[in-house]
Amino acid sequence: MAVTTTAHRARRPRLQRGSLSREKIVRESLRLLDADGIAGFSLPKLGRALGTDPTAVYRHFASKDDLILAIADQLIEESSGGLVPGDCWVSTLAESTRRLRTTYLAHPAAASLSAYRTTQGPAEMHIVDVIIGAVLAAGFEGAEAATVYRAMGDFALSWAGCEASFLALDERLQKRDTDAWTSAYLAVDRRQYPHIWQVRTELPGVGDDEIFETILSFVIGGLVARAPRPCGCAQHRQAAANGNS
Amino acid sequence: MAVTTTAHRARRPRLQRGSLSREKIVRESLRLLDADGIAGFSLPKLGRALGTDPTAVYRHFASKDDLILAIADQLIEESSGGLVPGDCWVSTLAESTRRLRTTYLAHPAAASLSAYRTTQGPAEMHIVDVIIGAVLAAGFEGAEAATVYRAMGDFALSWAGCEASFLALDERLQKRDTDAWTSAYLAVDRRQYPHIWQVRTELPGVGDDEIFETILSFVIGGLVARAPRPCGCAQHRQAAANGNS
DNA sequence: GGCCATTGTCAATGCTTATGACTAATGCAT
DNA sequence: ATGCATTAGTCATAAGCATTGACAATGGCC
């Protein structure tokens, strides 16, 4: 069958007419959000950027929220696509957290809109399965496994979402915050806030990556200490043999 | 065309000067946000709720963002007011994290608007000083102390902010998410997502408080394991003496 | 009394999300 | 191939939002 009827379109189960499609709209949304931030993202603007009527997007998405969910799934896909769990559950957990953060930081405006939302798309299901797999490999079982999974998953989402939300603020507002570390806290009164004063010169130099790796090491460290079964990979078996928890 | 439109418009008697103040507006904003959520919070609605002209609030706040910052400071004050660090730095850290979360969960809509914002108000400075004090008591010094403080502080803010943001969503959307745990994940395909399948019956029963205490115990556990100086309080000295980290 | 900054009111601008009516393109059955 | 139901794109429009500038009443001050 399949003669010469628009070969590349025939792949889809249902042919798309015209110039718009959900996929194209999501892609252009991401582009707009990356370029102009949240302020540059409205359905009329999106329609115009696509070269269509300002309201045309409503033919493909029931509402703006519907579109945001599609963007969320795209982000999760970008973040967890091709992630294959190795034999070390510790690095599986650490890596999936790092990857989510990397994606969110690459698309802060999109992430700040779509974080904390459950898409129930295939990409989300996949990463959930991977993380639960790691938690089970750590020896947690039943209700405790479910709780530990939620704790680790929500930690990754909340941290990355929070960093992204900050980066999605106006540059003006971000500068206000940065200035707090570099000047306001630097000039703090010694008697009123003695502890801030003690580390005041160190505060401006702290980098975001450093902060993230610190909290991640705490979380993973606390998890490993509580895990019923140590990690079976070469590196961690070595560490466990040395009596290090 | 126009006949008698403006002639007998039902006019409310003009309010007395001083019927509005920044404090009153912040209080009414919190009330509105708690009652109706983010959707019920616009400057026109706020003005009407205060019994004034919809635009009257602009006489006291330069913009909506200006008002949101004032709300943020009010929340921090409510959360950290009266917090006195004890001799146990572990519980100081845990308690201040718990208190922030409690406040944010009590005012989810307000928190979701104002989280991640630096107010540089006295309430914020105070809680920062308390947390840095605990980190110093743990034996961290210099740049490492600054990094650990940021990690712990940002963890508390991001987790509580994230939970609040979720609670600030429409009830309809929250239900969508809850249903994901109670039905969608329950009916997952065993072969496609074997790990989800394994814990599927446990997922719906996991409570938010439980998840929070789990991640908090991981974070605190990881921190304690890395701290140069163990906690000096009776309870933790005992634990340290038993060789438990 | 008279000055005048402050603050409440009003009208208006230009943006937003969203909907229903209308039109034209398309796939499908005949 | 032809006609038709479906549907994508367009248009007009509604209702609500943040914000602004003009205007007017108020109350402190001299």
Side-chain angles (χ1 to χ4, degrees):
Chain A
M1 311 225 1
V3 200
T4 63
T5 60
T6 60
H8 66 287
R9 278 208 242 162
R11 279 173 39 118
R12 299 189 176 290
R14 190 172 188 140
L15 290 182
Q16 301 281 346
R17 169 160 57 109
S19 52
L20 248 45
S21 68
R22 285 177 70 98
E23 195 185 78
K24 267 185 195 164
I25 292 173
V26 167
R27 218 176 331 149
E28 183 67 18
S29 298
L30 260 180
R31 213 191 52 73
L32 256 184
L33 282 165
D34 290 344
D36 304 343
I38 294 181
F41 184 64
S42 74
L43 292 216
K45 272 182 193 159
L46 177 56
R48 283 191 288 270
L50 286 160
T52 70
D53 185 87
T55 70
V57 175
Y58 282 96
R59 294 291 171 201
H60 300 264
F61 293 92
S63 66
K64 189 177 189 180
D65 194 72
D66 191 19
L67 170 57
I68 286 175
L69 279 185
I71 295 173
D73 209 54
Q74 174 66 31
L75 283 189
I76 296 180
E77 175 136 1
E78 187 175 322
S79 149
S80 69
L83 181 68
V84 178
D87 63 341
C88 169
W89 58 262
V90 171
S91 41
T92 298
L93 286 173
E95 271 318 301
S96 52
T97 305
R98 284 197 190 94
R99 287 176 70 145
L100 182 76
R101 175 172 179 261
T102 301
T103 300
Y104 274 25
L105 295 192
H107 307 286
S112 81
L113 286 180
S114 67
Y116 329 139
R117 302 300 298 277
T118 318
T119 68
Q120 298 177 46
E124 188 184 82
M125 300 290 271
H126 173 68
I127 185 65
V128 167
D129 197 63
V130 167
I131 294 182
I132 293 181
V135 170
L136 292 172
F140 293 100
E141 286 174 5
E144 195 182 16
T147 304
V148 169
Y149 150 65
R150 286 292 304 272
M152 297 303 292
D154 289 5
F155 163 72
L157 274 175
S158 69
W159 187 276
C162 181
E163 272 196 81
S165 294
F166 177 73
L167 291 177
L169 292 175
D170 282 16
E171 286 192 11
R172 203 169 34 81
L173 294 179
Q174 283 184 54
K175 191 163 160 18
R176 246 189 90 263
D177 272 45
T178 311
D179 288 353
W181 302 116
T182 57
S183 65
Y185 278 42
L186 205 62
V188 88
D189 178 55
R190 179 175 187 176
R191 240 166 303 179
Q192 199 172 5
Y193 303 115
H195 305 119
I196 298 180
W197 187 87
Q198 215 169 323
V199 297
R200 72 195 182 288
T201 58
E202 312 286 354
L203 282 173
V206 183
D208 289 342
D209 291 350
E210 204 179 342
I211 298 173
F212 168 70
E213 287 297 336
T214 298
I215 195 72
L216 181 62
S217 76
F218 288 171
V219 170
I220 299 275
L223 173 65
V224 165
R226 177 102 61 90
R229 189 191 308 155
C231 182
C233 80
Q235 183 190 346
H236 291 108
R237 200 177 326 137
Q238 179 76 12
N242 293 345
N244 183 2
S245 64
Chain B
M1 25 166 89
V3 194
T4 62
T5 52
T6 60
H8 57 59
R9 176 190 300 270
R11 287 181 71 156
R12 151 174 32 82
R14 191 189 182 90
L15 284 181
Q16 294 225 326
R17 286 174 85 81
S19 4
L20 247 44
S21 68
R22 285 177 71 98
E23 194 186 82
K24 268 184 196 165
I25 293 173
V26 167
R27 217 175 333 145
E28 183 67 18
S29 298
L30 260 180
R31 213 191 53 73
L32 256 185
L33 282 165
D34 290 345
D36 304 342
I38 293 181
F41 185 63
S42 73
L43 292 216
K45 273 183 192 158
L46 177 57
R48 283 191 289 269
L50 286 160
T52 70
D53 185 86
T55 69
V57 175
Y58 281 96
R59 295 293 170 199
H60 300 266
F61 293 93
S63 66
K64 190 176 189 181
D65 193 72
D66 192 19
L67 170 57
I68 287 175
L69 280 185
I71 295 173
D73 209 54
Q74 175 67 30
L75 282 190
I76 297 181
E77 176 136 358
E78 188 176 322
S79 151
S80 69
L83 180 68
V84 178
D87 64 339
C88 170
W89 57 262
V90 171
S91 42
T92 298
L93 286 174
E95 272 317 301
S96 52
T97 305
R98 285 196 188 95
R99 287 178 70 145
L100 182 76
R101 175 172 179 260
T102 301
T103 300
Y104 274 23
L105 294 193
H107 307 285
S112 81
L113 286 180
S114 66
Y116 328 139
R117 302 298 298 274
T118 318
T119 68
Q120 299 178 45
E124 189 184 80
M125 300 290 270
H126 173 68
I127 185 64
V128 167
D129 195 64
V130 167
I131 295 182
I132 293 181
V135 170
L136 291 173
F140 294 101
E141 286 173 6
E144 194 181 18
T147 304
V148 169
Y149 149 65
R150 287 290 306 272
M152 297 302 293
D154 288 5
F155 164 71
L157 274 175
S158 69
W159 187 278
C162 180
E163 272 196 80
S165 294
F166 177 73
L167 291 177
L169 292 176
D170 283 17
E171 285 191 13
R172 204 168 34 81
L173 294 179
Q174 282 183 53
K175 192 165 160 13
R176 246 190 89 263
D177 272 43
T178 310
D179 287 354
W181 302 116
T182 57
S183 65
Y185 279 42
L186 205 62
V188 88
D189 179 54
R190 179 174 188 176
R191 239 165 303 177
Q192 200 172 4
Y193 303 115
H195 304 119
I196 298 179
W197 187 88
Q198 216 169 323
V199 297
R200 72 195 183 288
T201 59
E202 312 287 355
L203 282 173
V206 183
D208 289 343
D209 291 349
E210 205 179 340
I211 299 173
F212 168 70
E213 288 297 336
T214 299
I215 195 72
L216 181 61
S217 75
F218 288 171
V219 170
I220 299 275
L223 173 65
V224 166
R226 177 102 61 89
R229 188 190 309 153
C231 182
C233 80
Q235 182 190 347
H236 290 109
R237 200 173 329 133
Q238 178 78 10
N242 294 345
N244 182 2
S245 66

